[in-house]
Amino acid sequence: MDITKKAEFTIKIPPQVEWILKKLRDSGYEAFAVGGCVRDTILNRIPGDWDITTSAKPVEVKAVFGKTVDTGLQHGTVTVIRDHVGYEITTYRIDGEYEDGRHPREVEFTSDLREDLRRRDFTINAMAYSPETGLVDIFGGMEDLKNRTIRCVGNAVERFGEDALRIMRAVRFASQLDFSIEEETYRALSGIAPNLAHVSKERIQVELTKTLLSGRPQGVLVMEDTGMCPYMTAGFPGIFSKARESGINLEERLKRSALLPQEKSLRYAVFLGHLGEKGACTILRELKLDNDTIRRVKTLVRFMEETLPEDGPALRRMMSQMEDSLFDSLLLMRKTVFPEQMEDVLKTESRCRRVRERGDCIRLKDLAVTGNDLIAAGMKPGKEMGERLRYLFELVLSEPALNEKELLLKAACDARKEQPDGGQNQTEKQ
């Protein structure tokens, strides 16, 4: 394809990107938007970011723009900040030998856009665009977009052999875009699967999370079908074997989870819930998930199939064990993924609304008395005070009308008098 000839195809690019491309071209260099931003724009999706490729060397890019950020000079990448957004500009390059199945040992800069596009993973990610030249599509990316196909650029085994993470990216793109994986590309997934052992758990987690958050989270089943699981985390194969042993249709659960918000804790709870709290948390820790997500998943899994309470005190106790938003997420997950629970969940939602409308105390911080109030009433700080506050909180969960300062102070004093030691612990007596 003659890239100097303008193609009859235009896409809308942000003015900041147009400005960067024009500034490079006015300085005598080629410059294109490239990769995922081009793909997503053609598909009428909003790109997460805009990457730019150019014939200019990094030092030349820095000279053109003056103020830049050195984000990856060894790989030819310089970042330009425009309107508080960073745009990565990378020199056309040819990757050298991949020694660790993940990173090239060295890169060689080139003046040929074709060579730069040839090193990319999939045809749909190997397209470039500029307003002056139009679309550059050497490897049939547009045709694969039309046919909704994920296909490697060139030889699939070679592309995956260069970077094992690409096999997870193939599954992720297929799930996000609702595409199929081309036959040769699919066969190569199994052959390269053992190389995932060289990929960091953090990178594996990113691709897995994006797959679960996609419109087809059941795409993760391809990871089992192609033999990736043993190389992802130690406990990963058990996710699928445990589901089969328990008679759980994990594929159906995952399909239903696509109707949930794109929230990590919800999707992971559905995926791992049948393993129980301990099993789910073990895998999440292996994958280096953040502590807040692990905490939320643990709570969701704990209450995933627990009988929903019918009486007020039990409901308030359940609500008190998580923040309001997480309780709402729990109910949403249960009625979405387990439709047989729909009637019970709807009743619980109605009861929950009444609890909130009345302003029932379901948080210790909303108790009508504080530690300072108990100190003023003659109670010493320490273990006894903590126990007394929890005792009062339990009273209020059982009977919300008791959440009055005078009533709770009296209850605290009465309970203290009933103790044989008058509320003093043995340490204090000694």
Side-chain angles (χ1 to χ4, degrees), residues 75 93 95-100 102-107:
H75 295 114
R93 75 187 203 199
D95 290 342
E97 182 180 355
Y98 283 72
E99 291 187 315
D100 60 357
R102 183 75 184 91
H103 304 96
R105 180 174 62 181
E106 57 187 16
V107 299

Side-chain angles (χ1 to χ4, degrees), residues 135-146:
L135 184 69
V136 179
D137 179 17
I138 301 169
F139 301 103
M142 281 292 285
E143 186 68 16
D144 283 336
L145 284 180
K146 177 182 177 182

Side-chain angles (χ1 to χ4, degrees), residues 90-203:
T90 303
T91 303
Y92 300 163
R93 75 187 203 199
I94 301 171
D95 290 342
E97 182 180 355
Y98 283 72
E99 291 187 315
D100 60 357
R102 183 75 184 91
H103 304 96
R105 180 174 62 181
E106 57 187 16
V107 299
E108 176 186 342
F109 298 141
T110 177
S111 59
D112 189 347
L113 175 62
R114 293 174 180 82
E115 292 299 322
D116 183 80
L117 298 178
R118 193 185 309 278
R119 70 179 175 82
R120 296 175 183 268
D121 51 8
F122 308 113
T123 59
I124 61 172
N125 295 336
M127 295 183 287
Y129 179 85
S130 76
E132 294 81 4
T133 302
L135 184 69
V136 179
D137 179 17
I138 301 169
F139 301 103
M142 281 292 285
E143 186 68 16
D144 283 336
L145 284 180
K146 177 182 177 182
N147 294 328
R148 306 179 69 79
T149 299
I150 304 297
R151 181 195 310 271
C152 282
V153 175
N155 183 283
V157 174
E158 290 181 5
R159 291 291 80 75
F160 290 149
E162 292 166 350
D163 181 354
L165 190 63
R166 286 173 173 170
I167 65 176
M168 293 194 69
R169 283 167 58 83
V171 176
R172 186 251 291 184
F173 283 126
S175 298
Q176 287 180 325
L177 303 174
D178 196 13
F179 281 19
S180 61
I181 302 175
E182 178 266 338
E183 186 177 349
E184 179 189 344
T185 301
Y186 192 93
R187 285 199 303 268
L189 298 177
S190 298
I192 302 300
N195 287 6
L196 279 176
H198 303 300
V199 179
S200 73
K201 294 296 184 278
E202 290 86 350
R203 298 305 298 271

